[in-house]
mmCIF file of all heavy atoms in Angstrom:
data_model
loop_
_atom_site.group_PDB
_atom_site.id
_atom_site.type_symbol
_atom_site.label_atom_id
_atom_site.label_comp_id
_atom_site.label_asym_id
_atom_site.label_seq_id
_atom_site.Cartn_x
_atom_site.Cartn_y
_atom_site.Cartn_z
ATOM 1 N N PRO A 201 22.697 74.555 -4.544
ATOM 2 C CA PRO A 201 22.856 75.634 -5.532
ATOM 3 C C PRO A 201 21.511 76.204 -6.006
ATOM 4 O O PRO A 201 21.399 77.368 -6.340
ATOM 5 C CB PRO A 201 23.583 74.950 -6.693
ATOM 6 C CG PRO A 201 24.232 73.744 -6.090
ATOM 7 C CD PRO A 201 23.399 73.332 -4.929
ATOM 8 N N CYS A 202 20.439 75.367 -5.967
ATOM 9 C CA CYS A 202 19.132 75.866 -6.424
ATOM 10 C C CYS A 202 18.457 76.730 -5.353
ATOM 11 O O CYS A 202 17.391 77.299 -5.587
ATOM 12 C CB CYS A 202 18.222 74.705 -6.793
ATOM 13 S SG CYS A 202 17.806 73.673 -5.394
ATOM 14 N N GLY A 203 19.068 76.844 -4.174
ATOM 15 C CA GLY A 203 18.502 77.715 -3.123
ATOM 16 C C GLY A 203 17.773 76.940 -2.039
ATOM 17 O O GLY A 203 17.456 77.494 -0.992
ATOM 18 N N ASP A 204 17.514 75.636 -2.264
ATOM 19 C CA ASP A 204 16.833 74.846 -1.237
ATOM 20 C C ASP A 204 17.786 74.571 -0.080
ATOM 21 O O ASP A 204 19.000 74.593 -0.244
ATOM 22 C CB ASP A 204 16.357 73.509 -1.827
ATOM 23 C CG ASP A 204 15.133 73.698 -2.719
ATOM 24 O OD1 ASP A 204 14.613 74.835 -2.757
ATOM 25 O OD2 ASP A 204 14.723 72.731 -3.380
ATOM 26 N N ILE A 205 17.169 74.284 1.095
ATOM 27 C CA ILE A 205 17.956 73.998 2.292
ATOM 28 C C ILE A 205 17.872 72.502 2.576
ATOM 29 O O ILE A 205 16.811 71.908 2.456
ATOM 30 C CB ILE A 205 17.368 74.790 3.493
ATOM 31 C CG1 ILE A 205 17.588 76.283 3.292
ATOM 32 C CG2 ILE A 205 17.928 74.347 4.816
ATOM 33 C CD1 ILE A 205 19.030 76.688 3.327
ATOM 34 N N VAL A 206 19.006 71.909 2.941
ATOM 35 C CA VAL A 206 19.011 70.476 3.265
ATOM 36 C C VAL A 206 19.383 70.300 4.736
ATOM 37 O O VAL A 206 20.337 70.922 5.212
ATOM 38 C CB VAL A 206 20.038 69.710 2.405
ATOM 39 C CG1 VAL A 206 20.000 68.218 2.732
ATOM 40 C CG2 VAL A 206 19.759 69.915 0.942
ATOM 41 N N ALA A 207 18.593 69.477 5.429
ATOM 42 C CA ALA A 207 18.939 69.136 6.822
ATOM 43 C C ALA A 207 19.246 67.643 6.847
ATOM 44 O O ALA A 207 18.412 66.829 6.490
ATOM 45 C CB ALA A 207 17.784 69.454 7.742
ATOM 46 N N VAL A 208 20.464 67.312 7.234
ATOM 47 C CA VAL A 208 20.845 65.904 7.408
ATOM 48 C C VAL A 208 20.969 65.709 8.911
ATOM 49 O O VAL A 208 21.686 66.459 9.561
ATOM 50 C CB VAL A 208 22.200 65.608 6.734
ATOM 51 C CG1 VAL A 208 22.571 64.142 6.905
ATOM 52 C CG2 VAL A 208 22.150 65.975 5.272
ATOM 53 N N TYR A 209 20.198 64.763 9.446
ATOM 54 C CA TYR A 209 20.279 64.613 10.902
ATOM 55 C C TYR A 209 20.136 63.173 11.354
ATOM 56 O O TYR A 209 19.661 62.325 10.608
ATOM 57 C CB TYR A 209 19.254 65.502 11.603
ATOM 58 C CG TYR A 209 17.815 65.233 11.280
ATOM 59 C CD1 TYR A 209 17.055 64.393 12.092
ATOM 60 C CD2 TYR A 209 17.209 65.818 10.182
ATOM 61 C CE1 TYR A 209 15.720 64.159 11.812
ATOM 62 C CE2 TYR A 209 15.887 65.577 9.887
ATOM 63 C CZ TYR A 209 15.148 64.759 10.705
ATOM 64 O OH TYR A 209 13.831 64.525 10.416
ATOM 65 N N SER A 210 20.600 62.942 12.576
ATOM 66 C CA SER A 210 20.526 61.590 13.127
ATOM 67 C C SER A 210 19.737 61.622 14.431
ATOM 68 O O SER A 210 19.652 62.652 15.087
ATOM 69 C CB SER A 210 21.929 61.060 13.377
ATOM 70 O OG SER A 210 22.622 61.960 14.196
ATOM 71 N N ASP A 211 19.168 60.476 14.759
ATOM 72 C CA ASP A 211 18.393 60.364 15.992
ATOM 73 C C ASP A 211 19.300 59.753 17.052
ATOM 74 O O ASP A 211 19.703 58.601 16.935
ATOM 75 C CB ASP A 211 17.182 59.458 15.743
ATOM 76 C CG ASP A 211 16.341 59.299 16.981
ATOM 77 O OD1 ASP A 211 16.406 60.170 17.851
ATOM 78 O OD2 ASP A 211 15.618 58.279 17.079
ATOM 79 N N GLU A 212 19.620 60.549 18.053
ATOM 80 C CA GLU A 212 20.548 60.077 19.091
ATOM 81 C C GLU A 212 19.800 59.695 20.361
ATOM 82 O O GLU A 212 20.397 59.529 21.418
ATOM 83 C CB GLU A 212 21.574 61.191 19.414
ATOM 84 C CG GLU A 212 22.355 61.702 18.221
ATOM 85 C CD GLU A 212 23.323 60.669 17.678
ATOM 86 O OE1 GLU A 212 23.783 59.828 18.460
ATOM 87 O OE2 GLU A 212 23.580 60.684 16.459
ATOM 88 N N THR A 213 18.440 59.584 20.250
ATOM 89 C CA THR A 213 17.625 59.340 21.446
ATOM 90 C C THR A 213 18.037 58.054 22.167
ATOM 91 O O THR A 213 18.216 58.058 23.384
ATOM 92 C CB THR A 213 16.135 59.275 21.066
ATOM 93 O OG1 THR A 213 15.875 60.361 20.197
ATOM 94 C CG2 THR A 213 15.233 59.361 22.268
ATOM 95 N N GLY A 214 18.198 56.966 21.390
ATOM 96 C CA GLY A 214 18.553 55.675 21.989
ATOM 97 C C GLY A 214 19.848 55.787 22.774
ATOM 98 O O GLY A 214 19.937 55.360 23.921
ATOM 99 N N ARG A 215 20.842 56.413 22.125
ATOM 100 C CA ARG A 215 22.155 56.554 22.764
ATOM 101 C C ARG A 215 22.037 57.388 24.039
ATOM 102 O O ARG A 215 22.584 57.036 25.078
ATOM 103 C CB ARG A 215 23.121 57.231 21.774
ATOM 104 C CG ARG A 215 24.538 57.300 22.273
ATOM 105 C CD ARG A 215 25.466 57.735 21.158
ATOM 106 N NE ARG A 215 25.258 59.096 20.720
ATOM 107 C CZ ARG A 215 25.794 60.164 21.309
ATOM 108 N NH1 ARG A 215 26.527 60.025 22.366
ATOM 109 N NH2 ARG A 215 25.561 61.383 20.827
ATOM 110 N N MET A 216 21.265 58.518 23.927
ATOM 111 C CA MET A 216 21.139 59.416 25.083
ATOM 112 C C MET A 216 20.379 58.733 26.216
ATOM 113 O O MET A 216 20.716 58.909 27.389
ATOM 114 C CB MET A 216 20.430 60.710 24.683
ATOM 115 C CG MET A 216 21.223 61.576 23.759
ATOM 116 S SD MET A 216 22.874 61.929 24.362
ATOM 117 C CE MET A 216 22.523 63.173 25.584
ATOM 118 N N LEU A 217 19.331 57.946 25.845
ATOM 119 C CA LEU A 217 18.566 57.249 26.889
ATOM 120 C C LEU A 217 19.454 56.232 27.590
ATOM 121 O O LEU A 217 19.424 56.097 28.816
ATOM 122 C CB LEU A 217 17.342 56.558 26.287
ATOM 123 C CG LEU A 217 16.171 57.476 25.960
ATOM 124 C CD1 LEU A 217 15.018 56.665 25.397
ATOM 125 C CD2 LEU A 217 15.694 58.224 27.202
ATOM 126 N N ALA A 218 20.267 55.521 26.761
ATOM 127 C CA ALA A 218 21.169 54.519 27.342
ATOM 128 C C ALA A 218 22.157 55.203 28.272
ATOM 129 O O ALA A 218 22.430 54.727 29.381
ATOM 130 C CB ALA A 218 21.896 53.788 26.232
ATOM 131 N N GLN A 219 22.658 56.375 27.827
ATOM 132 C CA GLN A 219 23.604 57.126 28.653
ATOM 133 C C GLN A 219 22.940 57.580 29.952
ATOM 134 O O GLN A 219 23.504 57.448 31.034
ATOM 135 C CB GLN A 219 24.087 58.338 27.858
ATOM 136 C CG GLN A 219 25.265 59.028 28.496
ATOM 137 C CD GLN A 219 25.767 60.136 27.597
ATOM 138 O OE1 GLN A 219 25.813 59.980 26.372
ATOM 139 N NE2 GLN A 219 26.107 61.264 28.179
ATOM 140 N N GLU A 220 21.678 58.099 29.776
ATOM 141 C CA GLU A 220 20.918 58.578 30.939
ATOM 142 C C GLU A 220 20.697 57.420 31.925
ATOM 143 O O GLU A 220 20.892 57.572 33.131
ATOM 144 C CB GLU A 220 19.557 59.084 30.446
ATOM 145 C CG GLU A 220 18.952 60.170 31.300
ATOM 146 C CD GLU A 220 17.698 60.696 30.636
ATOM 147 O OE1 GLU A 220 17.821 61.336 29.562
ATOM 148 O OE2 GLU A 220 16.628 60.426 31.169
ATOM 149 N N GLU A 221 20.317 56.261 31.320
ATOM 150 C CA GLU A 221 20.053 55.090 32.155
ATOM 151 C C GLU A 221 21.329 54.671 32.880
ATOM 152 O O GLU A 221 21.303 54.348 34.060
ATOM 153 C CB GLU A 221 19.564 53.951 31.255
ATOM 154 C CG GLU A 221 18.782 52.905 32.017
ATOM 155 C CD GLU A 221 18.178 51.892 31.071
ATOM 156 O OE1 GLU A 221 17.700 52.296 29.991
ATOM 157 O OE2 GLU A 221 18.218 50.718 31.400
ATOM 158 N N ARG A 222 22.453 54.725 32.145
ATOM 159 C CA ARG A 222 23.740 54.347 32.755
ATOM 160 C C ARG A 222 24.072 55.302 33.891
ATOM 161 O O ARG A 222 24.453 54.872 34.986
ATOM 162 C CB ARG A 222 24.825 54.398 31.679
ATOM 163 C CG ARG A 222 25.925 53.398 31.968
ATOM 164 C CD ARG A 222 26.980 53.409 30.915
ATOM 165 N NE ARG A 222 27.631 54.709 30.843
ATOM 166 C CZ ARG A 222 27.963 55.304 29.706
ATOM 167 N NH1 ARG A 222 27.700 54.733 28.571
ATOM 168 N NH2 ARG A 222 28.548 56.483 29.700
ATOM 169 N N GLU A 223 23.873 56.626 33.643
ATOM 170 C CA GLU A 223 24.162 57.605 34.688
ATOM 171 C C GLU A 223 23.268 57.381 35.901
ATOM 172 O O GLU A 223 23.714 57.478 37.036
ATOM 173 C CB GLU A 223 23.990 59.026 34.146
ATOM 174 C CG GLU A 223 25.228 59.471 33.393
ATOM 175 C CD GLU A 223 25.013 60.685 32.531
ATOM 176 O OE1 GLU A 223 23.962 61.353 32.676
ATOM 177 O OE2 GLU A 223 25.880 60.952 31.685
ATOM 178 N N ASN A 224 21.958 57.101 35.622
ATOM 179 C CA ASN A 224 21.030 56.849 36.731
ATOM 180 C C ASN A 224 21.460 55.631 37.526
ATOM 181 O O ASN A 224 21.401 55.637 38.758
ATOM 182 C CB ASN A 224 19.612 56.622 36.205
ATOM 183 C CG ASN A 224 18.981 57.922 35.780
ATOM 184 O OD1 ASN A 224 19.466 58.991 36.141
ATOM 185 N ND2 ASN A 224 17.927 57.856 35.003
ATOM 186 N N LEU A 225 21.885 54.582 36.764
ATOM 187 C CA LEU A 225 22.312 53.356 37.446
ATOM 188 C C LEU A 225 23.544 53.622 38.307
ATOM 189 O O LEU A 225 23.616 53.160 39.451
ATOM 190 C CB LEU A 225 22.643 52.282 36.413
ATOM 191 C CG LEU A 225 21.461 51.451 35.951
ATOM 192 C CD1 LEU A 225 21.878 50.520 34.835
ATOM 193 C CD2 LEU A 225 20.934 50.613 37.122
ATOM 194 N N ILE A 226 24.480 54.396 37.738
ATOM 195 C CA ILE A 226 25.698 54.725 38.495
ATOM 196 C C ILE A 226 25.317 55.498 39.750
ATOM 197 O O ILE A 226 25.777 55.207 40.853
ATOM 198 C CB ILE A 226 26.694 55.535 37.622
ATOM 199 C CG1 ILE A 226 27.245 54.629 36.518
ATOM 200 C CG2 ILE A 226 27.817 56.111 38.459
ATOM 201 C CD1 ILE A 226 28.084 55.312 35.478
ATOM 202 N N LYS A 227 24.378 56.475 39.558
ATOM 203 C CA LYS A 227 23.969 57.296 40.703
ATOM 204 C C LYS A 227 23.289 56.421 41.753
ATOM 205 O O LYS A 227 23.553 56.538 42.949
ATOM 206 C CB LYS A 227 23.023 58.409 40.232
ATOM 207 C CG LYS A 227 22.850 59.476 41.258
ATOM 208 C CD LYS A 227 21.971 60.605 40.801
ATOM 209 C CE LYS A 227 21.622 61.491 41.981
ATOM 210 N NZ LYS A 227 20.848 60.806 43.008
ATOM 211 N N GLU A 228 22.419 55.524 41.242
ATOM 212 C CA GLU A 228 21.702 54.640 42.158
ATOM 213 C C GLU A 228 22.697 53.770 42.928
ATOM 214 O O GLU A 228 22.574 53.587 44.139
ATOM 215 C CB GLU A 228 20.760 53.751 41.336
ATOM 216 C CG GLU A 228 19.568 53.263 42.127
ATOM 217 C CD GLU A 228 18.607 52.493 41.235
ATOM 218 O OE1 GLU A 228 18.139 53.073 40.225
ATOM 219 O OE2 GLU A 228 18.375 51.325 41.530
ATOM 220 N N LEU A 229 23.700 53.278 42.175
ATOM 221 C CA LEU A 229 24.721 52.431 42.818
ATOM 222 C C LEU A 229 25.500 53.221 43.855
ATOM 223 O O LEU A 229 25.762 52.729 44.962
ATOM 224 C CB LEU A 229 25.695 51.921 41.760
ATOM 225 C CG LEU A 229 25.408 50.524 41.240
ATOM 226 C CD1 LEU A 229 26.325 50.192 40.090
ATOM 227 C CD2 LEU A 229 25.608 49.514 42.368
ATOM 228 N N GLU A 230 25.836 54.470 43.475
ATOM 229 C CA GLU A 230 26.580 55.317 44.421
ATOM 230 C C GLU A 230 25.755 55.566 45.673
ATOM 231 O O GLU A 230 26.253 55.499 46.791
ATOM 232 C CB GLU A 230 26.945 56.652 43.754
ATOM 233 C CG GLU A 230 28.136 56.539 42.832
ATOM 234 C CD GLU A 230 28.388 57.807 42.030
ATOM 235 O OE1 GLU A 230 27.560 58.760 42.132
ATOM 236 O OE2 GLU A 230 29.371 57.838 41.305
ATOM 237 N N ASP A 231 24.437 55.866 45.431
ATOM 238 C CA ASP A 231 23.541 56.117 46.574
ATOM 239 C C ASP A 231 23.462 54.881 47.461
ATOM 240 O O ASP A 231 23.510 54.972 48.687
ATOM 241 C CB ASP A 231 22.133 56.478 46.072
ATOM 242 C CG ASP A 231 22.096 57.864 45.477
ATOM 243 O OD1 ASP A 231 23.109 58.567 45.598
ATOM 244 O OD2 ASP A 231 21.070 58.233 44.874
ATOM 245 N N LYS A 232 23.315 53.730 46.782
ATOM 246 C CA LYS A 232 23.193 52.469 47.545
ATOM 247 C C LYS A 232 24.465 52.227 48.355
ATOM 248 O O LYS A 232 24.408 51.828 49.516
ATOM 249 C CB LYS A 232 22.962 51.302 46.571
ATOM 250 C CG LYS A 232 21.579 51.283 45.976
ATOM 251 C CD LYS A 232 20.858 49.993 46.346
ATOM 252 C CE LYS A 232 19.367 50.107 46.199
ATOM 253 N NZ LYS A 232 18.891 50.057 44.837
ATOM 254 N N ASN A 233 25.586 52.505 47.701
ATOM 255 C CA ASN A 233 26.876 52.315 48.364
ATOM 256 C C ASN A 233 26.988 53.201 49.589
ATOM 257 O O ASN A 233 27.396 52.764 50.668
ATOM 258 C CB ASN A 233 27.976 52.684 47.365
ATOM 259 C CG ASN A 233 29.101 51.705 47.414
ATOM 260 O OD1 ASN A 233 29.037 50.724 48.157
ATOM 261 N ND2 ASN A 233 30.137 51.962 46.649
ATOM 262 N N ARG A 234 26.578 54.484 49.361
ATOM 263 C CA ARG A 234 26.632 55.458 50.459
ATOM 264 C C ARG A 234 25.711 55.001 51.586
ATOM 265 O O ARG A 234 26.059 55.056 52.760
ATOM 266 C CB ARG A 234 26.203 56.835 49.941
ATOM 267 C CG ARG A 234 26.807 57.969 50.745
ATOM 268 C CD ARG A 234 26.610 59.305 50.097
ATOM 269 N NE ARG A 234 27.107 59.371 48.739
ATOM 270 C CZ ARG A 234 26.363 59.612 47.666
ATOM 271 N NH1 ARG A 234 25.072 59.805 47.782
ATOM 272 N NH2 ARG A 234 26.891 59.665 46.473
ATOM 273 N N GLU A 235 24.543 54.517 51.164
ATOM 274 C CA GLU A 235 23.550 54.069 52.135
ATOM 275 C C GLU A 235 24.103 52.894 52.949
ATOM 276 O O GLU A 235 23.944 52.822 54.161
ATOM 277 C CB GLU A 235 22.312 53.609 51.369
ATOM 278 C CG GLU A 235 21.041 53.651 52.182
ATOM 279 C CD GLU A 235 19.863 53.335 51.292
ATOM 280 O OE1 GLU A 235 19.468 54.217 50.504
ATOM 281 O OE2 GLU A 235 19.388 52.211 51.365
ATOM 282 N N LEU A 236 24.782 52.010 52.196
ATOM 283 C CA LEU A 236 25.361 50.826 52.849
ATOM 284 C C LEU A 236 26.439 51.248 53.850
ATOM 285 O O LEU A 236 26.518 50.725 54.964
ATOM 286 C CB LEU A 236 25.969 49.923 51.773
ATOM 287 C CG LEU A 236 26.032 48.459 52.145
ATOM 288 C CD1 LEU A 236 24.639 47.844 52.126
ATOM 289 C CD2 LEU A 236 26.936 47.718 51.160
ATOM 290 N N GLU A 237 27.251 52.249 53.414
ATOM 291 C CA GLU A 237 28.298 52.760 54.312
ATOM 292 C C GLU A 237 27.659 53.329 55.559
ATOM 293 O O GLU A 237 28.078 53.044 56.686
ATOM 294 C CB GLU A 237 29.079 53.868 53.607
ATOM 295 C CG GLU A 237 30.328 53.369 52.916
ATOM 296 C CD GLU A 237 30.959 54.444 52.072
ATOM 297 O OE1 GLU A 237 30.836 55.640 52.415
ATOM 298 O OE2 GLU A 237 31.540 54.086 51.033
ATOM 299 N N ASN A 238 26.598 54.171 55.327
ATOM 300 C CA ASN A 238 25.899 54.779 56.481
ATOM 301 C C ASN A 238 25.334 53.691 57.365
ATOM 302 O O ASN A 238 25.379 53.790 58.595
ATOM 303 C CB ASN A 238 24.735 55.657 56.003
ATOM 304 C CG ASN A 238 25.246 56.911 55.351
ATOM 305 O OD1 ASN A 238 26.418 57.241 55.490
ATOM 306 N ND2 ASN A 238 24.372 57.605 54.635
ATOM 307 N N PHE A 239 24.794 52.704 56.692
ATOM 308 C CA PHE A 239 24.130 51.619 57.410
ATOM 309 C C PHE A 239 25.142 50.911 58.323
ATOM 310 O O PHE A 239 24.886 50.734 59.516
ATOM 311 C CB PHE A 239 23.550 50.640 56.380
ATOM 312 C CG PHE A 239 22.511 49.727 56.937
ATOM 313 C CD1 PHE A 239 21.242 50.200 57.231
ATOM 314 C CD2 PHE A 239 22.794 48.395 57.173
ATOM 315 C CE1 PHE A 239 20.272 49.355 57.740
ATOM 316 C CE2 PHE A 239 21.832 47.548 57.688
ATOM 317 C CZ PHE A 239 20.570 48.023 57.969
ATOM 318 N N SER A 240 26.308 50.576 57.742
ATOM 319 C CA SER A 240 27.297 49.871 58.571
ATOM 320 C C SER A 240 27.780 50.774 59.694
ATOM 321 O O SER A 240 27.952 50.332 60.843
ATOM 322 C CB SER A 240 28.506 49.419 57.766
ATOM 323 O OG SER A 240 28.308 49.574 56.429
ATOM 324 N N TYR A 241 27.958 52.080 59.334
ATOM 325 C CA TYR A 241 28.422 53.022 60.353
ATOM 326 C C TYR A 241 27.398 53.100 61.479
ATOM 327 O O TYR A 241 27.717 53.004 62.659
ATOM 328 C CB TYR A 241 28.623 54.394 59.714
ATOM 329 C CG TYR A 241 28.923 55.472 60.727
ATOM 330 C CD1 TYR A 241 30.220 55.588 61.266
ATOM 331 C CD2 TYR A 241 27.939 56.340 61.164
ATOM 332 C CE1 TYR A 241 30.490 56.559 62.219
ATOM 333 C CE2 TYR A 241 28.210 57.307 62.118
ATOM 334 C CZ TYR A 241 29.489 57.416 62.634
ATOM 335 O OH TYR A 241 29.753 58.369 63.581
ATOM 336 N N MET A 242 26.128 53.244 61.025
ATOM 337 C CA MET A 242 25.041 53.387 61.989
ATOM 338 C C MET A 242 24.883 52.122 62.842
ATOM 339 O O MET A 242 24.722 52.193 64.057
ATOM 340 C CB MET A 242 23.779 53.699 61.193
ATOM 341 C CG MET A 242 22.528 53.763 61.949
ATOM 342 S SD MET A 242 21.775 52.154 61.957
ATOM 343 C CE MET A 242 21.801 51.762 60.257
#
Side-chain angles (χ1 to χ4, degrees):
C202 65
D204 285 353
I205 292 294
V206 182
V208 181
Y209 61 94
S210 55
D211 180 23
E212 304 291 332
T213 314
R215 186 169 67 84
M216 292 307 283
L217 283 181
Q219 192 175 320
E220 208 174 292
E221 202 173 320
R222 210 179 62 221
E223 278 165 13
N224 285 344
L225 274 174
I226 292 172
K227 195 178 169 297
E228 206 175 303
L229 263 173
E230 281 172 355
D231 287 352
K232 287 241 160 76
N233 223 3
R234 206 169 305 118
E235 204 173 285
L236 206 72
E237 266 172 30
N238 289 346
F239 198 74
S240 350
Y241 172 79
M242 175 269 309

